[in-house]
Amino acid sequence: MEDLIGKRFIANPSYVAYQFITEYIEENNLQGQIELIASEAEPFMEIQLGRADATFSSLVLFNEKKEKGEYDLKVVGEAIGEQRHAFPFRKDVDPEFLEQFNNALREMKEDGFMSDLFIKYFDLDISKSQM
Amino acid sequence: MKKKLLFVLFLLAIMVIGIGCSATTDQPLKDDERVITEETGNTGEEKKVLRIGTPGQHYPWNFFEAGQLKGADIETIQEITRRIGYEAKFDIMAFEALYGSIDTNRIDTGA
């Protein structure tokens, strides 16, 4: 994150990335040291065109977005946050069924099924934390 | 302009599917009412069914490829149902409709 000092960071003000970088700048008294560009333009395109230096990206979606847009960009630094993903059920779901469901999912994490599946789709094993 | 028209048609298609689904009840579904069903085994007995709503348009989680529903979420739930001996029945619906449909017991979960 410190490498952003002296750089232009682009984010859409209605997205969480903008909120995150704003709080980071305030908490670390970096006002004026990181130039924050509030823009609704596609951040990857703006960086490609040299109008900004960096943005946040989902690790999961980066490769696909990069290939689709033919962007000459790369991921740097460490993961700054992660989202958990779950299947929603009603609260009155049969507890016995739910236990079977959760056990199967746990087994799939343990026996490598989820790792293989995520590598197939994302080239990244997100069954394990990237933080 | 053509693209825009296609998009509008696509939205209409989603709406039509949504209306079609809203007529379903808690009664057992007839085969022709099932949007997509999958045989998970051949035990000869009636399988329990897990009803899953999905938009089928969020690559790479759920999407259609050559008419087949695919994606990380889809394959996860297919494998879970296979392991616990359920049949996976997918209903295509807008993402915004998922939680309401779970709440009103039209589907069991969303992917």
Side-chain angles (χ1 to χ4, degrees), chain B residues 49-69:
Chain B
V49 172
L50 186 69
R51 302 161 302 167
I52 307 131
T54 181
Q57 51 176 319
H58 295 155
Y59 182 91
W61 301 103
N62 55 77
F63 61 97
F64 279 93
E65 192 177 85
Q68 283 276 86
L69 192 54

Side-chain angles (χ1 to χ4, degrees), chain A residues 10 42-55 73:
Chain A
I10 184 162
E42 165 51 52
F44 281 27
M45 178 59 84
E46 296 298 293
I47 296 168
Q48 182 81 52
L49 292 173
R51 294 200 278 245
D53 300 304
T55 190
L73 305 178

Side-chain angles (χ1 to χ4, degrees), chain A residues 48-61:
Chain A
Q48 182 81 52
L49 292 173
R51 294 200 278 245
D53 300 304
T55 190
F56 294 133
S57 168
S58 155
L59 275 175
V60 168
L61 299 175

